[in-house]
Amino acid sequence: VNRMNNLSNMPAAGIVVIIVIIALFALFLVLLFSVYMRYKGLSRGVKENPDPANRFMRTLVNDYAAAYKRYGTDVNTPAIIENAISAKLGGSLMCERFLNNAVSLFVTLGLFGTFLGLSLSVVSLSELLGYSDSSEWLSVLDSVGGGLMSALSGMGVAFYTSLVGVACSILLTILRVIANPESQRAKLETQLELWLDHSVAPTLK
């Protein structure tokens, strides 16, 4: 109950920062598993039976056939695979770049919330000290309580935003270890290279 009251008394700026961090975490979570499952689906298709209707596979085979007719066995298979992935899976590669910077982004947002909360605390304490020259002591005593509550709410922004940012970065790091798009893409590239060299190349001869 006390934690809920602390969150309800938090300034709107701190709540906005926390909502942004959580929304970005949900977005990166969707991107992580969608890219991972896309690479895994392509890898499973290469291992079982490549679908000729798949645009990526069709583009890859056409590029490989054209290069094989020109260079023969000296064809650069990895370069053709990388070119096909860049052309047809560019969205997945862009998502990978976002995911690579996600952990540092969460930490940065947490630090932003920390400095925001500290600045709110400094402003509240400055206003509180400004009442010290007043001759109305009763109003001064009343303002002391309100000023301290404002300062504590600013500190709450600093701690809660840092906590949420660090927690999201840790969770995303763990999930990336479990479902790593980069390693799955590397596995896909290896399977495609073996498939092109050992299954497609003999048919082109």
Side-chain angles (χ1 to χ4, degrees), residues 150-197:
S150 298
L152 290 176
S153 65
M155 294 299 293
V157 172
F159 287 116
Y160 278 116
T161 52
S162 298
L163 180 63
V164 173
V166 172
C168 289
S169 64
I170 293 174
L171 288 175
L172 188 62
T173 301
I174 295 174
L175 291 174
R176 286 188 63 189
V177 172
I178 299 173
N180 194 330
E182 289 86 353
S183 62
Q184 189 61 43
R185 176 168 54 83
K187 181 180 178 181
L188 172 63
E189 291 175 352
T190 302
Q191 290 178 333
L192 288 172
E193 185 176 356
L194 293 174
W195 175 67
L196 290 174
D197 289 339

Side-chain angles (χ1 to χ4, degrees), residues 64-141:
Y64 182 79
Y68 192 88
K69 291 179 180 178
R70 183 174 182 180
Y71 301 106
T73 56
D74 295 331
V75 61
N76 191 346
T77 306
I80 295 173
I81 294 173
E82 290 180 4
N83 184 59
I85 290 177
S86 299
K88 295 301 180 182
L89 302 179
S92 298
L93 294 176
M94 183 177 295
C95 292
E96 282 188 43
R97 288 192 290 270
F98 277 113
L99 290 170
N100 289 333
N101 297 316
V103 173
S104 60
L105 177 61
F106 287 135
V107 175
T108 303
L109 287 174
L111 290 175
F112 172 76
T114 300
F115 290 120
L116 177 63
L118 292 177
S119 64
L120 292 174
S121 297
V122 170
V123 171
S124 299
L125 290 175
S126 298
E127 293 178 354
L128 180 60
L129 293 175
Y131 288 114
S132 60
D133 295 332
S134 176
S135 60
E136 299 178 359
W137 292 102
L138 291 177
S139 61
V140 170
L141 292 176

Side-chain angles (χ1 to χ4, degrees), residues 49-64:
N49 188 17
D51 184 10
N54 186 284
R55 289 195 307 169
F56 170 72
M57 299 301 295
R58 186 169 60 249
T59 301
L60 178 63
V61 172
N62 291 337
D63 292 346
Y64 182 79

Side-chain angles (χ1 to χ4, degrees), residues 4-72:
M4 294 301 295
N5 291 333
N6 291 335
L7 291 175
S8 62
N9 294 330
M10 184 180 297
I15 296 176
V16 169
V17 173
I18 292 176
I19 291 176
V20 169
I21 293 175
I22 295 175
L24 285 176
F25 177 76
L27 174 62
F28 286 134
L29 201 63
V30 172
L31 292 178
L32 174 65
F33 285 102
S34 61
V35 173
Y36 177 79
M37 294 306 297
R38 186 175 188 184
Y39 288 151
K40 191 170 184 179
L42 289 172
S43 180
R44 188 184 302 112
V46 173
K47 188 176 181 180
E48 295 174 356
N49 188 17
D51 184 10
N54 186 284
R55 289 195 307 169
F56 170 72
M57 299 301 295
R58 186 169 60 249
T59 301
L60 178 63
V61 172
N62 291 337
D63 292 346
Y64 182 79
Y68 192 88
K69 291 179 180 178
R70 183 174 182 180
Y71 301 106

